[in-house]
């Protein structure tokens, strides 16, 4: 990341989601924090690429199989 200043934010994850991200981070040789930052960066990049800046539905919980 080229940005020299980083904003710290509290993040609450379910144990199941945390465990899944932690396993993925380990596979990619990253810390959990680094993995979350990587995933968010990729999601923002993809969103900008597709031109979709808002979801079609708001306040609908995602259907995750975790």
């Amino acid at each position: 990341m080229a940005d020299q200043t980083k904003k710290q934010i509290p993040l609450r994850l379910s144990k199941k989601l945390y465990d899944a991200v932690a396993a993925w981070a380990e596979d990619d040789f990253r810390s959990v924090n680094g993995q979350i930052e990587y995933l968010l960066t990729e999601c923002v990049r993809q969103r900008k690429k597709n031109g979709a800046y808002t979801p079609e539905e708001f306040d609908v919980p995602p259907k995750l199989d975790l």
Side-chain angles (χ1 to χ4, degrees):
M1 302 254 119
D3 190 7
Q4 295 298 322
T5 60
K6 294 192 177 193
K7 177 81 174 159
Q8 294 182 2
I9 60 168
L11 178 64
R12 290 170 187 82
L13 303 174
S14 69
K15 180 174 176 10
K16 228 174 174 179
L17 179 57
Y18 179 87
D19 290 344
V21 172
W24 193 357
E26 188 174 326
D27 289 346
D28 288 353
F29 303 104
R30 291 188 181 101
S31 66
V32 172
N33 189 67
Q35 188 73 5
I36 291 169
E37 186 174 2
Y38 169 77
L39 293 171
L40 287 171
T41 300
E42 288 303 307
C43 286
V44 169
R45 184 177 294 134
Q46 188 66 36
R47 183 173 173 180
K48 286 181 181 180
K49 180 180 174 183
N50 292 339
Y53 290 99
T54 57
E56 292 179 14
E57 297 178 319
F58 290 96
D59 296 325
V60 177
K63 296 176 183 170
L64 301 174
D65 185 27
L66 298 176

